[in-house]
């Protein structure tokens, strides 16, 4: 029945609004229940990270981090049937012109190109439209059965996004993402954003870092570890692949810090995986 019908019959409008509100509330509750898996991320959780290619489902890891758009609900259900927890990746701080919802970004939402990544532009994370799109992506994660999400590029203020973004803007946006994920029953990762780890640790369920060993930044994650929240770390340096001595030293440091470290290809295509576990 159309909205115009209720507008023409004003005496029905209050009742209609109650019905619509009730239906919306029921839908949100059902979605949250569907997403909530009872998973509490732990520092002992092992992990796998693959964002390109057909997902290899035979890796012995408790947590799989895979692309939200490129993988089907059936793939996710299959992993969960094996006892895995599935984290779904999407970029929250940049537009990617190959994504199915790319056309929903306004021209004014898009800023400078992300260095080194063709077809990708920084987003104005203050934009209400950007936030609506991110809510829809979180809804998609619920629909597909993801246990958690990995919002990427959440440190735009430290780059050259083409907007006057501040640290305060970034804290607000990252907390918005965490809150919206939790509202839907999803766990959420803090991706990089090294300078704000201490401030954001209470809002996030786990952390995902790239190259903290290479850049001597791993100590900032002590707030996560002390709270019993896992820190998943990926290293890409060739020396960790070619030198067992260097990899052994890397893994010793990682274990001492209770960080779950993988040495992976930069393309994250599962062409190799060297684990410190």
């Amino acid at each position: 029945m159309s909205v115009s019908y209720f507008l023409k019959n004003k005496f029905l409008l209050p009742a209609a609004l109650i019905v619509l509100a009730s239906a919306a509330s029921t839908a949100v509750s059902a979605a949250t229940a569907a997403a909530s898996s009872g998973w509490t991320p732990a520092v002992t959780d092992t992990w796998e990270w693959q964002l390109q290619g057909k997902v290899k489902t035979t890796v012995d890891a408790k947590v799989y981090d895979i692309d939200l758009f490129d993988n089907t609900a059936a793939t996710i259900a299959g992993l969960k049937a094996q006892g895995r927890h599935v984290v779904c990746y999407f970029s929250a701080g940049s537009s990617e012109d190959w994504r199915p919802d790319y056309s929903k970004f306004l021209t004014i939402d898009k800023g400078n190109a992300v260095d080194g990544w063709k077809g990708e532009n920084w987003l104005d994370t203050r934009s209400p439209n950007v936030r609506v799109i991110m809510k829809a992506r979180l809804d998609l994660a619920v629909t597909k059965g993801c246990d958690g999400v990995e919002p990427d590029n959440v440190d735009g203020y430290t780059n050259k996004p083409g907007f006057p973004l501040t640290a305060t803007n970034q804290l607000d946006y990252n907390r918005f993402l965490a809150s919206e994920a939790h509202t839907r029953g999803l766990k959420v990762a803090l991706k990089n954003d090294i300078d704000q780890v201490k401030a954001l640790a209470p809002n996030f369920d786990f952390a995902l870092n790239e190259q903290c060993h290479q850049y001597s930044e791993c100590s900032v994650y002590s707030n996560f570890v002390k709270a019993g929240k896992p820190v998943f770390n990926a290293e890409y340096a060739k020396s960790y692949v070619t030198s067992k001595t260097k990899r052994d030293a890397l893994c010793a440091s990682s274990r001492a810090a209770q960080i779950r470290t993988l040495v992976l290809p930069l393309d994250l295509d599962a062409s190799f995986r060297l684990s410190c576990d």
Side-chain angles (χ1 to χ4, degrees):
M1 194 170 291
S2 69
V3 173
S4 61
Y5 174 85
F6 290 111
L7 292 176
K8 290 176 182 177
N9 298 273
K10 294 181 180 179
F11 66 95
L12 291 176
L13 189 55
L17 290 175
I18 292 172
V19 171
L20 289 171
S22 176
S25 177
T26 300
V28 170
S29 297
T32 300
S36 187
S37 65
W39 173 44
T40 300
V43 293
T44 55
D45 285 345
T46 55
W47 75 302
E48 163 67 344
W49 196 19
Q50 182 184 347
L51 299 184
Q52 295 195 60
K54 184 178 180 180
V55 174
K56 292 185 178 180
T57 61
T58 56
V59 176
D60 185 16
K62 190 70 174 177
V63 179
Y64 270 66
D65 189 336
I66 61 177
D67 191 273
L68 171 63
F69 291 104
D70 292 346
N71 292 285
T72 65
T75 296
I76 292 168
L79 287 168
K80 293 174 74 170
Q82 297 176 18
R84 320 293 191 192
H85 298 297
V86 180
V87 173
C88 295
Y89 167 96
F90 64 91
S91 181
S94 68
S95 63
E96 299 162 309
D97 64 9
W98 62 92
R99 298 301 191 182
D101 60 358
Y102 175 73
S103 63
K104 295 180 181 179
F105 291 110
L106 304 175
T107 300
I108 58 173
D109 291 335
K110 293 176 284 188
N112 293 336
V114 178
D115 188 36
W117 299 94
K118 186 178 180 180
E120 193 168 353
N121 291 78
W122 290 105
L123 289 171
D124 187 347
T125 52
R126 302 165 301 177
S127 163
N129 182 59
V130 167
R131 297 188 180 208
V132 167
I133 294 169
M134 296 308 149
K135 287 181 181 181
R137 290 183 173 186
L138 291 169
D139 289 339
L140 179 61
V142 171
T143 300
K144 287 193 172 186
C146 309
D147 295 305
V149 289
E150 180 210 333
D152 195 10
N153 296 308
V154 292
D155 54 2
Y157 83 102
T158 66
N159 291 274
K160 296 178 180 178
F163 307 105
L165 300 180
T166 66
T168 299
N169 295 145
Q170 195 70 65
L171 287 171
D172 176 71
Y173 185 60
N174 292 359
R175 286 174 176 144
F176 154 79
L177 292 169
S179 176
E180 291 295 331
H182 290 151
T183 295
R184 291 162 175 78
L186 296 164
K187 304 302 182 184
V188 58
L190 177 62
K191 175 72 171 288
N192 295 325
D193 196 17
I194 288 287
D195 294 339
Q196 298 185 328
V197 166
K198 184 177 181 179
L200 291 171
N203 304 103
F204 287 79
D205 304 293
F206 59 106
L208 197 156
N209 167 272
E210 294 170 292
Q211 299 165 280
C212 72
H213 289 281
Q214 182 176 342
Y215 296 117
S216 302
E217 296 171 331
C218 295
S219 62
V220 303
Y221 287 100
S222 60
N223 288 293
F224 272 88
V225 174
K226 288 176 182 176
K229 299 177 180 182
V231 178
F232 299 137
N233 162 246
E235 298 291 332
Y236 308 121
K238 186 177 180 180
S239 60
Y240 294 140
V241 178
T242 58
S243 171
K244 186 177 183 302
T245 299
K246 290 187 177 181
R247 189 166 66 252
D248 286 347
L250 163 72
C251 289
S253 176
S254 183
R255 292 189 195 103
Q258 292 185 275
I259 291 175
R260 318 305 292 201
T261 293
L262 299 176
V263 178
L264 298 171
L266 186 59
D267 288 339
L268 298 176
D269 59 2
S271 56
F272 68 84
R273 176 183 186 268
L274 300 172
S275 175
C276 287
D277 291 314

